[in-house]
Amino acid sequence: MKNIYKKIAFVLLAILGFNSCSDFDEINENPNAFTSEEVSAKFFMTELQIQLYAPNRYPYWRAQLIHADRYAGHFTFGFNGSWWTDALGYDYNGGYTDAAYDWMSGYLGKLSGFINFVKEGGDLQNEKFYAIGLIMKGLYYQMYVDTFGMAPYTEAFDPDNITPKYDELSTIYQGVIADLDEAMSIIGDATVSGDGVELLTNNDLFFGGDMQKWKKLANTLKLRMGLRAQGADGATFADNVIAEAMAAPLLTTADENALMEKDPDISQWANAAYGDVWWNFGTGSNWNVGKTLIDYLRNNNDPRLTYYAKPIDGGDVVLTQDADGDSRDMFSKHSTFILQQLDDAGVSYTSTSGTKTVEGVSIDTVGISIDAGDYYVGQPTRLNGFIYSQVKEQLFSRPADIVINPKNQDKDIFPEVVMTAAEGNFLQAEAIVKGLASGDAQSLYQEGIRQAMAMWDVPEGDIASFLASEDMAQLNGTEEQNLEKIAVQRWIASYTDGFEAWAIVRDTGYPSELYNGVSDFDIYAAGTTLDGAYPQRMRYGNGAYNTNGDNTSAALQIQGPDVQGTKLWWAKN
């Protein structure tokens, strides 16, 4: 993988000379400038995948990290030394929201260009690439509308319509599922995309050109969307979609994971990774792992704990009362809260209360000395500015090295998660528990856990021990309790895939520790218009109003106000 991007770039420059959407126009205007032996849509496949899952650092930081990963409860800002409190994102920020919206809405142009060239009658016509384009369209729209809500769909691919109407999510979901069905029909029994220059291999960062894996990806996405729609107002189509998907092959084994490997040498402006943020700006841009995630892993003896996060630094820490401001009177409450996090995580420590005088002002202190040992402590999500000075970085767990490793140092970097075998198994278990299909939910649930752990190289012995001994590995409760376990395991398995993890919480209500929101505003951020509730969507960017204002406003009349608390069509009521 290491040099794939370089080789592709060389091919594009040396053979095709394409580097932007304008290159599509160049081919369209002068298709005879290149021979059929030289031109193939496969040379655009890599960029299509990268731009959806790991674009350049600017949107990657602002969309994935500042919003999705933190709404998901996987990552947190707000330790003393961070540039931001963990209120960021919950408190609306127009600039960061615009960056996320512009990237995601702007991807449509790249996708449209590709599909128009490979469809029947297109200058680079290839039905297998067209099928892949439809599947990429499905992946895109599921992420896009599950983030913002209503969006242009039925009119979005008309190049002559620069102000397309917004469609309701029910329409988009049904349209995407129809596209997925068409893609699967086109692929049929085919295993490759074509011969010669039309043979897709290394340019496909998901499956290396294996068309049957693309077909399974399409069906797994279909099942996910069917289950998400099921129970929503007017989603009468969902049960049939689920039944169809359950009757066809899904992603279920390790060799079928759709994981987009990272090139450790590529520029952050071509393909970003978490390490591009972590290592380029000092401590201020760093983050910790969320309490809810660490608690589920640690308290259930989940062997992924050491693969997801690091032990705290520990040592000696002093919590110091602020000399003035609103937080001064909250010091006792805040210091007690910090100590409670250590207690909850089983940390062995001693604490000493004291008082000192600074410029005539009495200042209370709490000294904390952490005993030797490996302790995993998640930082509570959504901590506000009042408690900021007491949230010491060395008391909370950072992400594991493989998540944040820098490039150009010959270190492994965990790949981007597109769709996994774990998800394929968990979705089947969910459908069965809900009574929408028949089968062995317990076996599928455990296989989902096995695949999720294997993806992080957890040893088989550790996996087997967890499956045999932990209650979390057993669907042994009521229907709702079993659905909660499946939802939590899907959420855990979506670590580093914040968009899907966030969607799982909004759809299922689990983990409830996140979904139930917050109420103590001495400690937690209320959020702009949220009043402590869990964020249900991102607001549209200013670009939506500037370029398609009338249709954006019309959509809001159907969907509800353009605020983070407005629930989407499929969200848990």
Side-chain angles (χ1 to χ4, degrees):
M1 264 302 301
K2 183 174 181 180
N3 292 314
I4 286 175
Y5 299 105
K6 292 180 178 178
K7 292 176 181 177
I8 293 171
F10 177 80
V11 170
L12 292 175
L13 291 172
I15 298 179
L16 303 178
F18 303 153
N19 55 25
S20 70
C21 291
S22 64
D23 300 317
F24 284 118
D25 297 332
E26 181 180 345
I27 297 178
N28 195 33
E29 292 170 4
N30 189 15
N32 297 322
F34 305 94
T35 68
S36 59
E37 290 77 15
E38 295 174 316
V39 179
S40 170
K42 75 178 183 182
F43 295 118
F44 300 107
M45 183 66 65
T46 305
E47 188 71 4
L48 199 67
Q49 294 172 330
I50 287 173
Q51 290 304 318
L52 183 56
Y53 288 98
N56 72 73
R57 192 193 73 203
Y58 185 81
Y60 194 79
W61 191 349
R62 290 152 179 80
Q64 277 87 339
L65 183 54
I66 287 179
H67 288 100
D69 289 329
R70 293 177 48 256
Y71 289 166
H74 287 167
F75 294 146
T76 60
F77 295 151
F79 63 85
N80 186 227
S82 172
W83 288 340
W84 307 287
T85 74
D86 207 43
L88 182 68
Y90 298 91
D91 290 345
Y92 169 72
N93 181 291
Y96 294 150
T97 298
D98 284 352
Y101 180 81
D102 291 348
W103 156 65
M104 199 174 286
S105 63
Y107 180 82
L108 180 62
K110 301 177 179 65
L111 178 65
S112 176
F114 180 85
I115 289 177
N116 286 335
F117 268 85
V118 298
K119 70 182 182 181
E120 185 176 359
D123 290 319
L124 300 177
Q125 176 178 331
N126 179 305
E127 65 172 0
K128 300 303 187 299
F129 291 150
Y130 178 66
I132 290 175
L134 292 178
I135 299 169
M136 290 297 298
K137 179 182 176 183
L139 291 167
Y140 164 63
Y141 266 102
Q142 189 245 311
M143 182 192 297
Y144 182 23
V145 302
D146 286 1
T147 299
F148 294 100
M150 291 177 62
Y153 179 77
T154 56
E155 298 179 357
F157 283 72
D158 179 357
D160 297 322
N161 187 349
I162 61 173
T163 56
K165 70 174 184 178
Y166 285 58
D167 292 289
E168 295 186 49
L169 265 64
S170 59
T171 299
I172 296 172
Y173 263 53
Q174 290 178 82
V176 166
I177 290 167
D179 284 340
L180 295 174
D181 285 339
E182 182 182 359
M184 289 187 282
S185 177
I186 290 170
I187 293 170
D189 295 328
T191 57
V192 297
S193 60
D195 299 320
V197 74
E198 295 296 295
L199 179 63
L200 179 64
T201 54
N202 289 343
N203 305 85
D204 173 12
L205 303 182
F206 297 174
F207 297 125
D210 188 323
M211 295 305 300
Q212 288 304 302
K213 290 179 181 177
W214 274 102
K215 187 175 180 179
K216 291 181 181 181
L217 169 59
N219 195 45
T220 307
L221 178 60
K222 176 180 177 177
L223 181 56
R224 173 193 281 177
M225 296 181 75
L227 284 166
R228 186 154 294 161
Q230 199 265 337
D233 185 33
T236 55
F237 63 89
D239 287 7
N240 186 58
V241 167
I242 294 165
E244 290 177 352
M246 289 288 288
L250 297 148
L251 301 175
T252 57
T253 60
D255 65 326
E256 295 170 342
N257 284 322
L259 301 175
M260 194 174 78
E261 293 186 28
K262 294 287 190 182
D263 186 326
D265 298 329
I266 199 169
S267 166
Q268 63 188 320
W269 300 114
N271 178 211
Y274 288 122
D276 294 326
V277 177
W278 186 278
W279 296 104
N280 286 346
F281 301 95
T283 302
S285 65
N286 293 356
W287 58 93
N288 290 324
V289 182
K291 172 181 172 62
T292 306
L293 179 58
I294 293 291
D295 284 357
Y296 269 106
L297 296 172
R298 187 193 60 240
N299 296 343
N300 291 288
N301 299 309
D302 192 312
R304 283 171 290 188
L305 177 61
T306 60
Y307 294 83
Y308 278 23
K310 295 179 183 179
I312 65 173
D313 290 348
D316 297 326
V317 175
V318 177
L319 308 182
T320 304
Q321 183 182 29
D322 292 340
D324 52 27
D326 293 336
S327 59
R328 174 175 170 80
D329 293 337
M330 301 177 189
F331 178 71
S332 177
K333 181 176 185 177
H334 289 165
S335 58
T336 298
F337 177 83
I338 296 297
L339 293 176
Q340 187 63 54
Q341 306 314 305
L342 302 180
D343 292 338
D344 290 347
V347 177
S348 177
Y349 68 93
T350 56
S351 63
T352 306
S353 299
T355 303
K356 62 183 180 180
T357 301
V358 178
E359 296 181 354
V361 178
S362 178
I363 303 292
D364 292 336
T365 62
V366 174
I368 304 172
S369 182
I370 307 293
D371 296 339
D374 286 343
Y375 305 108
Y376 291 84
V377 186
Q379 182 183 313
T381 296
R382 212 164 164 169
L383 297 181
N384 64 23
F386 292 138
I387 198 172
Y388 173 85
S389 61
Q390 313 308 332
V391 186
K392 306 302 182 183
E393 184 182 21
Q394 58 266 48
L395 297 181
F396 298 101
S397 292
R398 302 183 184 93
D401 285 337
I402 196 170
V403 176
I404 57 171
N405 269 338
K407 294 176 182 172
N408 301 304
Q409 294 190 22
D410 197 29
K411 294 181 178 180
D412 290 336
I413 301 174
F414 192 74
E416 292 293 332
V417 175
V418 178
M419 186 75 76
T420 66
E423 178 80 341
N425 284 286
F426 286 139
L427 292 172
Q428 292 180 81
E430 179 181 337
I432 294 167
V433 170
K434 287 181 173 180
L436 302 170
S438 60
D440 187 345
Q442 170 68 14
S443 295
L444 289 161
Y445 175 64
Q446 288 209 338
E447 185 61 22
I449 294 173
R450 181 186 303 280
Q451 293 296 334
M453 291 182 176
M455 192 166 65
W456 288 83
D457 294 329
V458 176
E460 176 57 34
D462 292 346
I463 299 174
S465 177
F466 178 86
L467 295 177
S469 61
E470 293 300 324
D471 182 73
M472 179 57 82
Q474 313 301 320
L475 295 182
N476 54 5
T478 65
E479 178 180 326
E480 188 60 32
Q481 288 170 336
N482 290 342
L483 289 174
E484 177 179 3
K485 285 183 177 179
I486 294 169
V488 167
Q489 285 301 317
R490 288 182 63 209
W491 173 79
I492 292 172
S494 296
Y495 183 52
T496 72
D497 181 12
F499 284 106
E500 184 56 26
W502 175 34
I504 290 167
V505 181
R506 291 175 287 154
D507 178 29
T508 67
Y510 300 115
S512 57
E513 295 89 337
L514 295 171
Y515 183 81
N516 290 340
V518 298
S519 58
D520 187 344
F521 302 139
D522 288 347
I523 294 174
Y524 299 103
T528 304
T529 73
L530 287 169
D531 195 29
Y534 190 68
Q536 295 291 327
R537 60 180 290 272
M538 287 185 65
R539 289 169 57 166
Y540 295 121
N542 284 310
Y545 294 95
N546 294 337
T547 63
N548 198 6
D550 289 345
N551 284 318
T552 301
S553 297
L556 298 177
Q557 295 302 309
I558 300 170
Q559 180 168 275
D562 190 11
V563 295
Q564 292 156 286
T566 296
K567 288 189 174 183
L568 301 182
W569 167 70
W570 47 256
K572 179 180 175 64
N573 292 320

